[in-house]
Amino acid sequence: MDNENDPTGSGQRRRPRPDVTAIGNRRLKPATLMMGHGYDPALSEGALKPPIFLTSTFVFESAAAGKRHFEGVTGKRPGGAEGLVYSRFNGPNQEILEDRLAVWEDAEDALSFSSGMSAIATLLLTFCAPGDMIVHSGPLYAATETLIGRILGKFGIGWIDFPAGATEEEIAAVMEAARARGRVALIYLESPANPTNALVDVEAVRAARDRLLPEGDRPPIAIDNTFLGPLWQQPLAHGADLSVYSLTKYAGGHSDLVAGAVVGRESLITPVRMMRNTLGTITDPNTAWMLLRSLETLELRMTRAGENAARVCAFLADHPKVERVVYLGFLAAGSRQADIYARHCSGAGSTFSLYLKGGEREAFAFLDSLTIAKLAVSLGGTETLASAPAAMTHLSVPDARKAALGISDNLVRISIGVEDPDDLVADFAQALEAV
Ligand code: PLP
């Protein structure tokens, strides 16, 4: 083992081999880089796959090295930790995962978290202070709305929202209203929005911010990219500064883990990392390892799920027991949503809303008759899931807000997986028969 790490007998550990990210002028694609980027087998006994590093702390080479590490961790020296220090700050599995997550959005840096919500909470706590305002698109995932509206509100942080799909003028007017109440600390978007699938015009948000606010006083634009990212939407390329993920969904992709991420420019990631170091919201090594495995098949899984969803939606849209299907692949030509889709998205995803003719009775009869699709909340897994938001995830939402968001009793939310598409169509067909 010693000879392996010290092949020249020089007393020096073998240095990591430089990562190959291009062949000549050809930049390697994310699907290729997911197999090895950020990991050198030579540092782990030649293991093809990274071991899971179950350790709470890391041994320093010397006292001076330990001091230098802590200067980086505490921000006394820019650039963060140069090595591994303590597992609340970083670890090999998480670092490899973060390198690979950054690849998908061509980002400078990425951070992994214990859940999508801990990523969002850490982000908000990093940028917001008492008296500040958050400008956000609406609707947001329910727990994010709770965090901003009810929890941060207790600490004197205000918020104001604009509807997803708003124009640059409408967004600018909301920003002006926010500025009248305090410093705008963060612009927070979710697109497509959960549960409406409404898209936000990131380019318009950026234009409104840059027009209204002088350079140096511009809040970061963060966007929850859980529903289409990273394959079908890369918001950093359209003007967002930070991309946020529940990795629990498509990135994890097997409904067997909970995790989150924030991806973006290093200068913005660094303060978020400091906050994560303090709070301990980093993902654990085992989950990070599972995510490395997930990312190897991300493009395959998402591509298949997207194709399956197109197939299933085409079948459902024509069915006599179906009122309508709200799916990004069906946006009305010439509409504002279709325009945003054309500029920002490269695929319609596999999560959509099915409105049955009738009400709760019909929705429940349909759900109870499904055999392949499982009756469960969440999305983005290999298996198809279906649920009734009005009776489940959004049960506690006030009726008026439910009506405004289109969360009616006849709504079924569906996330299509990677099963055989004909089998899925057969399952939906027989469940509709039973209604
Ligand atoms: N963002 C969106 C759009 C979500 O749908 C979810 C969960 O459903 C989250 C964030 C929260 O993620 P997690 O459950 O991993 O904390």
Side-chain angles (χ1 to χ4, degrees), residues 115-117 120 141 190 194 224 226-227 246 248-249 258-259:
S115 71
M117 282 317 302
I120 294 166
Y141 173 60
E190 183 175 301
N194 187 352
D224 187 326
T226 297
F227 270 53
S246 167
T248 314
K249 316 299 180 194
V258 174

Side-chain angles (χ1 to χ4, degrees), residues 2-15:
D2 286 337
N3 285 347
E4 272 285 292
N5 277 329
D6 186 14
T8 60
S10 65
Q12 298 248 302
R13 275 177 70 84
R14 189 183 273 183
R15 306 279 307 161

Side-chain angles (χ1 to χ4, degrees), residues 36 51 58 134 298 307 320 384 434:
F58 297 86
I134 297 170
L298 181 132
E307 288 165 3
T384 295

Side-chain angles (χ1 to χ4, degrees), residues 4 15 39 61 77 80 85 105 121 132 153 165 190 197 201 210 213 236 256 281 292 312 335 345 378:
E4 272 285 292
R15 306 279 307 161
Y39 171 64
E61 311 87 87
R77 183 178 46 75
V85 176
E105 294 214 44
D132 284 347
E190 183 175 301
N197 266 10
D201 190 339
D210 292 356
L213 299 169
L236 300 183
D256 55 6
T281 44
L292 293 177
V312 167
S335 65
C345 311
S378 199

Side-chain angles (χ1 to χ4, degrees), residues 183-184 209-210 213-219:
R183 182 185 79 109
V184 179
R209 180 196 69 175
D210 292 356
L213 299 169
E215 218 178 326
D217 199 20
R218 291 181 184 149

